[in-house]
Amino acid sequence: MPKRRDILAIVLIVLPWTLLITVWHQSAIAPLLAIRKVCHHLVKEILIIPERLTIHRQRLADDGTETRHDTGPATDSKEYCSQDKDIVEVVRTEYVYTRPPPWSDVLSTIHVITPTYSRPVQKAELTRLANTFLHVPNLHWILVEDSQRRTPLVTRLLRETGLNYTHLNVETPRNYKLRGDTRDPRIPRGTMQRNLALRWLRETFNSNSSQAGIVYFADDDNTYSLELFEEMRSTRKVSVWPVAFVGGLRYESPKVNAAGKVYGWKTVFDPHRPFAIDMAGFAINLRLILFKPQAYFKLRGVKGGYQESSLLRELVTLNDLEPKAANCTKILVWHTRTEKPVLVNEGKKGFTDPNVEI
Amino acid sequence: MRMRLKLKTVFVLYFMVSLLGLIYALMQLGQRCDCRGHAMSKDQQISQLRGELQKLQEHIKTSELSKKTDVPKIYVITPTYARLVQKAELTRLSHTFLHVPQLHWIVVEDAPQPTPLVTDFLAASGLTYAHLHKLTPKDRKLQEGDPSWLKPRGAEQRNEGLRWLREMGAAAEGKEAAALEEAVVYFADDDNTYSLQLFEEIRYTYRVSVWPVGLVGGMKFERPVVEDGKVVRFHTGWHPNRPFPIDMAGFAVSLRLILTNPQARFDGDAQMGFLESSFLQHLVTMDDLEPKADLCTKVLVWHTRTEKPKMKREDTLQKQGLGSDPDVEV
């Protein structure tokens, strides 16, 4: 009975297999560990809890009945990540809906600058604009009123929306304001308000901070699709896209060549402007704004349609522009205008109760 | 001795085979390690997860709203017609509706058949919807250049919406039918502006509820006047002697009332401004109206109108055959 031999034989048989198994395991486990860490982090993003939010986990039983029970965020994260489940599993976690979507550390912030002024449709315009913005994650609304003081209407509205906002105001001096109905394109409306917002951004964020941000100028009567905001999030310098209902056309758009670079402007109205684009047709990376602190919209002596150029030419060249919206072939923003409501029946003294806010 | 020899060879053979196999496997793994690299696979996964995160947020928004099943459903009937600003109007309307739980959008096109624009739009909207269509007969349709007040608009389409609801009501049974008992119907035009609070006011309507509407009737707002919790008259500057001098956006009707009154519909031949009355007078008296919005003192909906975009340059270009690409949907 050669015991030693037997043992030697067994060892020789088992050794290669154990080696194989250990090596195999290691190569599979290590990346998984790293993923789990990221997974935990990202799942936490998904499950961030403001005070008014609760998480319900929904388990669909085989017979279709649903049972719910509340769980804390930490356990959820562990459970989902440790089970090695597909991240898609997290979709089954349910929120009681809360507006706006939870802030994410992963997405860059979109700073939306909106100049506004008091008129009968103001509250309606801001309401439906807010309803759109409430769908966009990481949106920071900078609303600048054309007024001497911040009005209670706008203050209350902003507070009630629940959006992340900054409320500023600056009054355009009389001689620059539009008079009555006249749409005089030589006087650019909203310029001082946009410049104030730019100044605020430069004072609030220093160029060393790693805050990823995009700046977009959104007028309060336009219509924005949700896809637009996701397109602009990846802006490195200045991105551009088509805008509907401007320049007397169905839409104006940048001209993009086969190499994906902007080389001109598809407009009828003065296509030789340095940047023949509407205010709603471009977005700027915050870093660029901070890097060029002297770039503002020109206030005086700006020809009609040249306001956008007055800012953009200090920031980028045509070559640097990034075309979005499928190489500028899709319409994601419409330059709608709201009719001025007919208020004839108010008469001189006013028919309706002036204390009711509209 | 022979046996032992055989066993030895077997062992040796086995050992060689397993050693070779191990070396082969190691080489395989080594290859994989080289091209993947720990850092790269991690980055890949992270960007994938980030993408999922964004998709998730979308999915969560759209899917869990409808899971809130314990509130009455709101059926919103919106007549719409093709014009330049149609897609923009429907887009911003859908952004408002996406915030409202248990909302079922009934879009009725003024068209002989469903258009691709609206079909694709609704499919991508994330809302629960029904897509209907009903063409307005020529003699009732506004012609190019007619002022908007000449003929009442949307009557056929709203009636079609009512017909669909009645059909659904007749076919429903059990739990579904019970849910319909509490549901509410609201007529929302595609160019108005609605606050989110409005829908919570609408939701609990027993018969017909009413509230003020902003920017209508030539005034800042029109409203029912409420005394002792009851509507006694209407404060409006335009034809105040109508049976119901109220705008389409200023009232909601319980579905139960609509189902139990199959003859109630909008009269497309009604005089301007009497469209709402033609419908409501079959259903309710002023006494039965339920005042909402803080006893009709708050404006939660505005009768905004969108300007027709100027297309002079486009028209000129079209004549020259240089118009903008018609394949690009606006």
Side-chain angles (χ1 to χ4, degrees):
Chain A
M1 298 237 276
K3 269 194 186 162
R4 240 194 315 173
R5 245 195 198 168
D6 278 336
I7 294 170
L8 191 65
I10 291 167
V11 168
L12 280 174
I13 292 167
V14 172
L15 188 68
W17 291 105
T18 47
L19 275 172
L20 187 69
I21 292 166
T22 10
V23 172
W24 204 277
H25 230 256
Q26 248 195 12
S27 78
I29 282 269
L32 216 67
L33 278 173
I35 299 306
R36 204 177 298 169
K37 242 196 209 162
V38 180
C39 175
H40 277 286
H41 174 76
L42 281 168
V43 173
K44 276 215 180 73
E45 297 291 354
I46 296 164
L47 304 179
I48 289 171
I49 302 187
E51 310 106 52
R52 39 198 180 123
L53 174 69
T54 30
I55 294 181
H56 301 259
R57 179 153 348 113
Q58 184 180 338
R59 298 249 160 118
L60 295 169
D62 285 338
D63 57 352
T65 56
E66 299 170 3
T67 54
R68 296 175 185 208
H69 55 274
D70 293 6
T71 41
T75 48
D76 279 359
S77 156
K78 234 187 243 167
E79 195 159 333
Y80 282 113
C81 292
S82 62
Q83 280 168 18
D84 251 69
K85 279 187 189 167
D86 225 12
I87 199 73
V88 174
E89 289 291 322
V90 184
V91 176
R92 295 226 192 106
T93 302
E94 209 179 272
Y95 294 151
V96 166
Y97 186 74
T98 187
R99 318 179 248 112
W103 202 265
S104 152
D105 287 335
V106 174
L107 300 169
S108 41
T109 306
I110 299 181
H111 302 277
V112 179
I113 297 175
T114 301
T116 184
Y117 64 104
S118 289
R119 74 268 198 207
V121 297
Q122 181 189 38
K123 192 176 180 190
E125 300 281 41
L126 294 178
T127 300
R128 56 183 169 186
L129 201 58
N131 288 345
T132 296
F133 289 164
L134 282 166
H135 291 293
V136 185
N138 283 38
L139 186 143
H140 173 219
W141 198 12
I142 305 174
L143 195 56
V144 194
E145 290 198 73
D146 186 348
S147 62
Q148 216 174 42
R149 259 177 284 272
R150 283 180 261 176
T151 59
L153 187 150
V154 176
T155 312
R156 239 177 290 134
L157 187 143
L158 282 173
R159 199 177 39 224
E160 280 169 5
T161 58
L163 282 165
N164 180 2
Y165 69 89
T166 297
H167 187 184
L168 307 171
N169 71 293
V170 61
E171 191 174 29
T172 312
R174 277 264 179 96
N175 43 337
Y176 289 125
K177 260 196 186 151
L178 275 172
R179 258 153 278 211
D181 270 17
T182 56
R183 300 202 189 289
D184 189 347
R186 279 175 293 167
I187 307 170
R189 192 163 59 183
T191 313
M192 287 190 69
Q193 287 72 34
R194 295 188 190 97
N195 281 344
L196 179 67
L198 287 174
R199 206 181 81 197
W200 181 90
L201 282 169
R202 286 167 176 141
E203 285 170 6
T204 312
F205 298 98
N206 65 51
S207 33
N208 292 330
S209 76
S210 56
Q211 297 262 24
I214 312 289
V215 177
Y216 182 54
F217 298 98
D219 288 345
D220 61 8
D221 54 358
N222 291 343
T223 305
Y224 310 93
S225 69
L226 299 180
E227 208 183 322
L228 176 73
F229 297 103
E230 298 319 310
E231 289 281 309
M232 68 171 79
R233 240 186 256 277
S234 54
T235 305
R236 284 196 300 273
K237 284 201 176 141
V238 175
S239 54
V240 292
W241 49 79
V243 179
F245 312 142
V246 280
L249 299 170
R250 277 172 77 235
Y251 63 90
E252 272 184 358
S253 138
K255 282 194 199 160
V256 182
N257 62 21
K261 287 252 178 243
V262 177
Y263 66 95
W265 309 97
K266 218 187 292 180
T267 81
V268 167
F269 172 65
D270 210 341
H272 301 295
R273 290 174 273 166
F275 295 90
I277 195 167
D278 182 79
M279 198 66 74
F282 64 91
I284 311 171
N285 192 315
L286 181 62
R287 247 179 286 124
L288 191 57
I289 299 274
L290 301 174
F291 186 62
K292 301 250 172 100
Q294 77 289 354
Y296 282 99
F297 287 103
K298 201 158 170 233
L299 198 53
R300 299 163 215 225
V302 181
K303 254 198 333 182
Y306 280 78
Q307 214 203 359
E308 295 82 2
S309 302
S310 72
L311 174 71
L312 287 173
R313 67 156 182 257
E314 304 200 33
L315 294 171
V316 275
T317 59
L318 213 66
N319 201 38
D320 286 332
L321 295 176
E322 300 151 51
K324 302 284 176 187
N327 261 354
C328 295
T329 56
K330 277 164 74 170
I331 308 293
L332 302 175
V333 57
W334 300 261
H335 194 277
T336 43
R337 298 177 62 98
T338 306
E339 273 183 23
K340 191 165 174 207
V342 169
L343 298 178
V344 281
N345 288 333
E346 288 286 344
K348 288 216 178 108
K349 289 198 207 148
F351 191 62
T352 51
D353 182 353
N355 289 324
V356 175
E357 190 182 84
I358 50 151
Chain B
M1 252 242 318
R2 249 192 191 176
M3 287 290 289
R4 236 193 246 157
L5 261 169
K6 262 195 178 168
L7 210 58
K8 220 187 199 169
T9 3
V10 169
F11 271 131
V12 169
L13 271 171
Y14 170 76
F15 184 64
M16 295 307 296
V17 166
S18 52
L19 198 68
L20 283 168
L22 181 68
I23 292 166
Y24 175 73
L26 275 172
M27 277 175 61
Q28 284 286 338
L29 285 177
Q31 264 185 8
R32 215 166 55 169
C33 260
D34 278 349
C35 60
R36 273 265 211 107
H38 279 261
M40 257 204 79
S41 75
K42 191 163 69 161
D43 274 325
Q44 258 179 11
Q45 287 279 16
I46 289 177
S47 54
Q48 198 187 36
L49 282 166
R50 278 198 190 149
E52 292 287 3
L53 172 67
Q54 277 169 270
K55 266 190 278 175
L56 268 171
Q57 286 175 332
E58 294 275 14
H59 188 102
I60 285 170
K61 265 181 302 223
T62 54
S63 68
E64 96 289 305
L65 273 185
S66 46
K67 302 242 167 67
K68 208 174 166 192
T69 51
D70 50 347
V71 289
K73 233 179 185 180
I74 302 179
Y75 289 93
V76 179
I77 298 180
T78 299
T80 185
Y81 66 103
R83 76 271 197 203
L84 284 166
V85 295
Q86 181 186 37
K87 192 177 181 190
E89 301 281 43
L90 292 176
T91 300
R92 56 184 170 185
L93 200 58
S94 72
H95 294 165
T96 297
F97 291 163
L98 277 167
H99 291 293
V100 184
Q102 287 297 322
L103 185 144
H104 193 122
W105 198 12
I106 302 171
V107 178
V108 194
E109 290 197 76
D110 186 351
Q113 62 219 20
T115 60
L117 187 148
V118 177
T119 310
D120 295 339
F121 166 77
L122 286 174
S125 66
L127 289 162
T128 310
Y129 66 90
H131 184 184
L132 312 171
H133 60 94
K134 183 93 174 126
L135 190 60
T136 310
K138 254 206 191 145
D139 56 346
R140 287 204 186 148
K141 225 185 168 143
L142 279 176
Q143 301 305 320
E144 189 74 36
D146 275 349
S148 64
W149 45 260
L150 197 62
K151 294 181 185 130
R153 284 186 306 183
E156 277 79 15
Q157 288 73 39
R158 294 187 190 97
N159 285 339
E160 173 68 11
L162 290 172
R163 186 202 60 77
W164 184 88
L165 282 170
R166 286 172 174 135
E167 210 177 81
M168 189 199 49
E173 39 189 73
K175 227 175 23 166
E176 251 183 64
L180 293 183
E181 280 292 304
E182 295 193 321
V184 189
V185 180
Y186 181 52
F187 298 96
D189 289 346
D190 62 6
D191 55 356
N192 291 342
T193 304
Y194 310 91
S195 70
L196 300 180
Q197 206 188 335
L198 175 73
F199 296 99
E200 297 320 308
E201 296 278 315
I202 290 177
R203 216 183 275 283
Y204 300 95
T205 295
Y206 186 62
R207 287 208 191 83
V208 174
S209 53
V210 291
W211 52 80
V213 178
L215 311 173
V216 73
M219 304 199 303
K220 286 199 184 140
F221 62 94
E222 263 184 358
R223 70 181 182 99
V225 176
V226 177
E227 275 167 28
D228 283 332
K230 285 212 172 283
V231 177
V232 293
R233 64 178 185 281
F234 292 88
H235 185 92
T236 164
W238 193 73
H239 273 275
N241 296 319
R242 295 172 273 166
F244 289 95
I246 196 167
D247 183 76
M248 198 65 73
F251 67 91
V253 185
S254 75
L255 184 57
R256 193 180 32 86
L257 205 61
I258 289 179
L259 296 177
T260 52
N261 288 285
Q263 78 288 359
R265 53 172 48 87
F266 291 93
D267 181 2
D269 288 322
Q271 200 190 338
M272 193 53 205
F274 284 77
L275 194 62
E276 295 84 358
S277 305
S278 72
F279 175 63
L280 288 172
Q281 61 197 18
H282 295 296
L283 295 171
V284 77
T285 62
M286 201 188 302
D287 216 38
D288 287 331
L289 294 174
E290 297 150 53
K292 299 284 177 185
D294 247 1
L295 294 179
C296 297
T297 55
K298 294 233 173 73
V299 176
L300 302 174
V301 56
W302 299 263
H303 194 276
T304 43
R305 296 175 57 91
T306 306
E307 274 183 21
K308 196 171 166 199
K310 298 196 184 81
M311 288 287 125
K312 258 202 326 209
R313 291 201 180 102
E314 179 78 42
D315 294 336
T316 319
L317 283 179
Q318 296 271 10
K319 290 201 185 109
Q320 299 169 356
L322 295 167
S324 58
D325 187 351
D327 284 332
V328 175
E329 190 181 80
V330 162

